[in-house]
Structures are given as structure tokens and as C-alpha cells.
Amino acid sequence: LDREQISTALKRLGIRVTRQRLAVAEVLVNARDHPTAQEVCERARVTLPQISLGTIYNTIGVLINSGFIQSLSFNEATRYDANLAPHANLLCVRCGTITDAPDEGGAVTSLREDLCSRIGFQAVSQRVDFYGLCGRCAADGGRS
Amino acid sequence: LDREQISTALKRLGIRVTRQRLAVAEVLVNARDHPTAQEVCERARVTLPQISLGTIYNTIGVLINSGFIQSLSFNEATRYDANLAPHANLLCVRCGTITDAPDEGGAVTSLREDLCSRIGFQAVSQRVDFYGLCGRCAADGGRS
DNA sequence: CTCTTTGCAAATCTTTTGCAACTTG
DNA sequence: CAAGTTGCAAAAGATTTGCAAAGAG
């Protein structure tokens, strides 16, 4: 997504568009990983050097409240993700990378439906994490 | 589980048994919710009034490293869970309760196997959260 | 006895808040 | 212009660390 599309999306959500918000949203939409607030700040400063960390937190809050992004608290840090579709987060315990696995077979969705009908819980969203070795690190075997 | 069984389990994990560690492990094993460090401290103080929050954190770290409990970071707080079996955490967004749903049909496990074979990720553990309305709050309808 | 753990207090770090100056619509 | 936003600095929490005293095996 380019700036124009993001700007339109923000307006549609009723968010006042400022240079700072555009920069933060752009960073998050284009991030393939799940950056922390600090990382969002560093990346946003590439295009907007004077942006403050306070504004990053403020903007992230606005984007979460309007449903543009979600926050994922991990043990090591809180990270932010613009991918709101059902998916699983794959965390490699060796190299630390976090990647998204799309819910291809609809397994996450069906797990959700199963639970809802069986337990009587009405789920509106979910979070699924798997911890282990990514393909690269698994192939690398015991070396490190 | 009673004190004796917990003490045995700790020893088996190579953890030196102290009154403090026994109290913390007992609180966590018998907790039906997922307490925060503060809550663990309050509950442990019922039997061991002088235990300090620093020791709670220290002990929790020991228990996590030995695989006796896991930590779950939520946006609002970090919580601890002695249930290491595959399950889903059901978080009610209205009343705030967190309950465990056992992986009855093996859906969590099969989702994991599906992902592992499809993406080439070797998962060793996982975390599954659903956010929504618990049975009680859903039945309560719009009232609150 | 020796080595580990505890309790306390200080230090860190992340996130939130307050407020005057500055933008956006 | 009026209301909402930003940047900075201070405040608030949560977690970690350092160290002398106490405890476990």
C-alpha cells in the first residue's frame, strides 16, 4: 500500500491524518516482521526524523482503537501487527524471527467455531502463536 | 496436588526446595485463573506473609526455566499458567475472566501438525487465545 | 559447612501523562 | 479558527539487579 491508500484508509476510520500518523501506519503496513514501539520509531524517523517516541505510542493507541492494527505482547516485548486476518505467528526460538502463517485450510477459523459451539464462548478475535524452529534454523541442524 | 507432590515434582526438576518456592508453586498449580506476579504474591502471603515480590519474580523465573509453568504476556499484564497441556485461553472482554478450554478434539494439536508439515516449521509449544464473550456475559446480553 | 536463595532497596525499562506550542480540516 | 495532535519531560509501573543475611542439603 502506498501513502495515498493508507491516508484514505485512515480517513475512512475517522482518524485525523497527520504526517506522523501516516508515517507510523506506513511502517506498520509495510513491515513483514512485527516491530516494537522502538523499532516503529526508528523506521518512522527515516522519513520523519523529529518524530518522538511519545507520539509513536499515542498513534499506536489510536490505530489499535480503530481496529487498524493489533498489539501482541510477547514475553520479551510488545509488538504490533497490521495483519488482522486469522493467522498463526511462528516464532523461531533460535533466530528470533516472527513470521505469519496464513490460515490456509481455515484451521484457525474452524478451531474457533468448534470451541464456540462446544463451550458456549462467543469469540470475536483470536491469537495463535507457535514456538519452535523456523525452516532455516531447523535445516541448519545443531550448528549455530 | 498437595505440598508433598509439588515438592517431589520440584526436586525431580532439580529445583532446590524452599518454603518460598513451594508456596509459589502451590499457588500456581492450584490457580484456576492465570494470576499476575502481584496476585501470586498476595496469595503466597496467605501462607508465607513475609515473602517479597522480588522472590516471586525470581521463583517464577526458575519455574519457567525448568518448564514447570509458562508465562503469558497479555496487553494488560503478564500472567502465569501451570497448565502446559495444549489448550486455548478464553478471555472475556466484558468481565475480564480467563479460562482454559482443553484441546478436546485435538484441534490445537492438529492445527500445529498441519502448519508444521505445510510450512516446514518445527513447533515445540504453542499459545492459543480467543477474545470475546464468556457464556455468562453472552447470556447477560446487552445489560452490564 | 558451602553454596544457593531471600529480602530489601536501588536501578532499568517501557508506557503513560501533563501541558504549551503547533497542525489539520 | 477551533479542536485535536505533537514533542518534551516528568511520572508511573513492572521487572531486574546487587548485596548482606538466612537457609538448604
Side-chain angles (χ1 to χ4, degrees):
Chain A
L1 271 65
D2 66 14
R3 252 160 237 244
E4 207 50 53
Q5 296 173 295
I6 294 174
S7 176
T8 304
L10 295 182
K11 280 178 194 150
R12 200 174 294 136
L13 290 169
I15 297 174
R16 178 179 283 203
V17 178
T18 64
R19 271 168 300 161
Q20 289 85 345
R21 290 178 174 180
L22 209 43
V24 170
E26 195 175 16
V27 164
L28 285 166
V29 166
N30 294 325
R32 318 190 83 255
D33 54 352
H34 302 63
T36 62
Q38 280 287 352
E39 289 167 343
V40 171
C41 191
E42 287 158 16
R43 296 178 200 181
R45 280 183 170 158
V46 173
T47 57
L48 212 58
Q50 78 287 7
I51 196 171
S52 72
L53 186 54
T55 296
I56 301 294
Y57 278 109
N58 175 325
T59 303
I60 283 174
V62 169
L63 296 179
I64 289 173
N65 285 334
S66 60
F68 190 78
I69 62 171
Q70 69 179 146
S71 84
L72 297 174
S73 291
F74 294 101
N75 296 327
E76 124 272 356
T78 300
R79 298 177 172 279
Y80 303 93
D81 188 0
N83 179 6
L84 299 183
H87 69 276
N89 302 298
L90 307 181
L91 290 86
C92 181
V93 297
R94 180 172 294 172
C95 68
T97 58
I98 303 179
T99 53
D100 282 358
D103 184 26
E104 277 182 26
V108 173
T109 306
S110 66
L111 170 56
R112 167 170 158 174
E113 281 161 6
D114 171 52
L115 272 174
C116 290
S117 62
R118 184 153 55 76
I119 317 231
F121 186 89
Q122 293 186 7
V124 297
S125 66
Q126 67 281 316
R127 163 181 181 173
V128 179
D129 295 345
F130 286 95
Y131 306 89
L133 292 179
C134 68
R136 186 178 308 235
C137 287
D140 192 40
R143 287 159 268 144
S144 103
Chain B
L1 271 63
D2 65 14
R3 250 159 238 245
E4 208 49 53
Q5 294 173 298
I6 294 174
S7 177
T8 305
L10 295 181
K11 279 178 194 149
R12 201 174 293 137
L13 290 168
I15 297 174
R16 177 178 283 204
V17 177
T18 64
R19 273 169 298 162
Q20 289 85 345
R21 289 179 175 179
L22 208 43
V24 170
E26 194 174 17
V27 164
L28 285 165
V29 166
N30 295 325
R32 317 189 85 254
D33 54 352
H34 301 64
T36 62
Q38 282 286 352
E39 289 167 343
V40 171
C41 192
E42 287 158 17
R43 297 179 199 181
R45 280 183 171 159
V46 172
T47 56
L48 212 57
Q50 78 288 8
I51 196 171
S52 72
L53 186 54
T55 296
I56 301 294
Y57 278 110
N58 176 326
T59 303
I60 283 173
V62 170
L63 296 179
I64 289 173
N65 285 333
S66 60
F68 189 77
I69 62 171
Q70 70 179 146
S71 85
L72 297 174
S73 290
F74 295 100
N75 296 326
E76 124 273 357
T78 300
R79 298 177 171 280
Y80 303 93
D81 188 0
N83 178 6
L84 299 184
H87 68 277
N89 302 298
L90 307 180
L91 290 86
C92 180
V93 297
R94 181 174 294 173
C95 67
T97 59
I98 302 179
T99 53
D100 281 358
D103 185 25
E104 277 182 27
V108 173
T109 305
S110 67
L111 170 57
R112 168 171 158 173
E113 281 161 7
D114 172 52
L115 272 174
C116 290
S117 62
R118 185 154 54 76
I119 316 232
F121 185 88
Q122 293 185 7
V124 297
S125 67
Q126 67 281 315
R127 163 182 182 171
V128 179
D129 295 346
F130 286 95
Y131 307 89
L133 291 178
C134 68
R136 186 177 307 236
C137 286
D140 192 42
R143 286 159 270 143
S144 100

